[in-house]
Amino acid sequence: MGLWIPFTLFAAFMQSMRNAIQSRLSKEISTAGVTLARFLWASPVAAAYLLLLYHFDPVAVPRFDTGFVLTVAAAAVSQIIATALMVVLFRLRNYAIGVGLAKSEAVIAATLGALFFAAPLSPLGWAGVVIGGVAIWLMGNTGAIRELPLKTVMTGLGSGLGFAMTTLWVREASLMLDLSFPHSAAWVLLWVISLQTLMLLVWLAVREPATLLELWRRPKIVMLTSLISCLGSLGWFTAMSLESVALVKTLGQVEVLFTLAISATWFKDKLGRRDLLGLGLIVLGALCVILA
């Protein structure tokens, strides 16, 4: 079994937990504030992980050229926008459907990766991506296509596009460092999270200073969100430094399994036959990318 597989499964579980917490927080805090909660305390965790790696396996500190800095900056901005759009989704439809629409990122990442990032897939890999995409559409489309609000569809696709571009740029940045996979992923993680925290802190200080106070009044849930988010990003970034983004994100759709469980037990969302069929297709798609 490839090492990217357990990292992906771990990341998917962490992400489902983080989304659940952010969904609840979105009812109390603005979109920008909920987005910042994802990154606020994650930088120290990422730095501690990097120091731990260097303690047990010292390697040379890489050179961060202009291309690398621009790539991680693009990834940071893209993920901020994608996260903000997902928070908006939480307010437009129920929790499970909001996450499902944003999971269009796997199909988008596969297409953009093949076209622009020299990351082609095998026929079996494409089959897994397509099956996973059909599963997510089936679970998110609870009625006829015309019944889905255009705003919800566009927000979901926008979030998926943002996450897809983030993952493609993260992998590109990892490959630029020419380091072994745990160290390269850890450096990219620290850079991306630090830039995101700085950007959002400046934005909120200027535009929504009251939101910073609201976050300060909720230290436990904000720290928990940041911790879980950082652990999830660690899993994603490491997996994507080992395998193509499309395969990682297609297998990562098992997050929906965790999301539906949380949705039914925590948020009391009702799940139907479409969900069961969609789950079966997600498992089939995951098997395809593992075999690919």
Side-chain angles (χ1 to χ4, degrees), residues 94-108:
N94 73 32
Y95 168 72
I97 292 176
V99 174
L101 286 168
K103 295 305 290 182
S104 59
E105 64 174 306
V107 177
I108 297 173

Side-chain angles (χ1 to χ4, degrees), residues 23 26 31 82-103 151-160 163:
S23 180
S26 69
T31 298
T83 302
L85 290 175
M86 178 173 278
V87 174
V88 172
L89 277 172
F90 292 152
R91 300 188 176 110
L92 292 177
R93 301 205 64 169
N94 73 32
Y95 168 72
I97 292 176
V99 174
L101 286 168
K103 295 305 290 182
K151 183 179 181 181
T152 299
V153 174
M154 296 307 296
T155 303
L157 291 177
S159 180
F163 282 126

Side-chain angles (χ1 to χ4, degrees), residues 248-270:
V248 170
K249 283 300 182 177
T250 299
L251 178 59
Q253 287 176 340
V254 297
E255 172 199 343
V256 179
L257 300 174
F258 306 129
T259 296
L260 288 176
I262 294 171
S263 180
T265 58
W266 194 355
F267 296 95
K268 308 303 180 184
D269 290 338
K270 295 181 179 180

Side-chain angles (χ1 to χ4, degrees), residues 18-287:
R18 186 208 68 216
N19 286 338
I21 297 172
Q22 280 189 307
S23 180
R24 285 205 162 183
L25 196 59
S26 69
K27 296 177 174 61
E28 306 171 0
I29 305 292
S30 72
T31 298
V34 177
T35 305
L36 176 59
R38 172 177 179 172
F39 311 116
L40 189 56
W41 300 107
S43 294
V45 178
Y49 172 68
L50 184 61
L51 289 173
L52 197 62
L53 281 180
Y54 271 82
H55 175 73
F56 288 103
D57 185 17
V59 298
V61 175
R63 176 176 172 269
F64 307 112
D65 58 21
T66 303
F68 173 83
V69 174
L70 291 176
T71 301
V72 295
V77 172
S78 184
Q79 192 173 41
I80 287 174
I81 294 172
T83 302
L85 290 175
M86 178 173 278
V87 174
V88 172
L89 277 172
F90 292 152
R91 300 188 176 110
L92 292 177
R93 301 205 64 169
N94 73 32
Y95 168 72
I97 292 176
V99 174
L101 286 168
K103 295 305 290 182
S104 59
E105 64 174 306
V107 177
I108 297 173
T111 304
L112 294 179
L115 291 176
F116 302 110
F117 289 83
L121 295 178
S122 68
L124 188 57
W126 273 112
V129 170
V130 172
I131 290 171
V134 170
I136 296 301
W137 173 84
L138 186 65
M139 297 169 74
N141 182 22
T142 54
I145 293 177
R146 64 178 180 271
E147 295 176 357
L148 283 174
L150 180 61
K151 183 179 181 181
T152 299
V153 174
M154 296 307 296
T155 303
L157 291 177
S159 180
L161 175 62
F163 282 126
M165 293 306 302
T166 299
T167 54
L168 289 166
W169 276 320
V170 162
R171 175 167 170 79
E172 197 72 13
S174 295
L175 296 176
M176 287 179 180
L177 293 183
D178 195 25
L179 290 175
S180 59
F181 80 89
H183 296 80
S184 61
W187 274 114
V188 174
L189 176 65
L190 180 59
W191 267 88
V192 170
I193 289 177
S194 298
L195 285 174
Q196 289 167 330
T197 304
L198 179 61
M199 291 175 190
L200 284 169
L201 279 173
V202 172
W203 173 270
L204 287 173
V206 174
R207 302 294 297 270
E208 301 179 28
T211 299
L212 292 176
L213 183 59
E214 290 298 319
L215 291 173
W216 180 259
R217 290 172 177 168
R218 297 167 172 81
K220 292 182 179 179
I221 190 170
V222 171
M223 287 184 179
L224 181 61
T225 302
S226 294
L227 174 62
I228 292 176
S229 176
C230 185
L231 292 175
S233 294
L234 172 62
W236 289 127
F237 286 24
T238 303
M240 288 183 292
S241 70
L242 295 168
E243 185 52 84
S244 69
V245 169
L247 296 186
V248 170
K249 283 300 182 177
T250 299
L251 178 59
Q253 287 176 340
V254 297
E255 172 199 343
V256 179
L257 300 174
F258 306 129
T259 296
L260 288 176
I262 294 171
S263 180
T265 58
W266 194 355
F267 296 95
K268 308 303 180 184
D269 290 338
K270 295 181 179 180
L271 307 176
R273 286 178 294 179
R274 283 176 173 265
D275 299 314
L276 296 176
L277 179 57
L279 289 177
L281 289 176
I282 286 176
V283 172
L284 179 60
L287 289 174

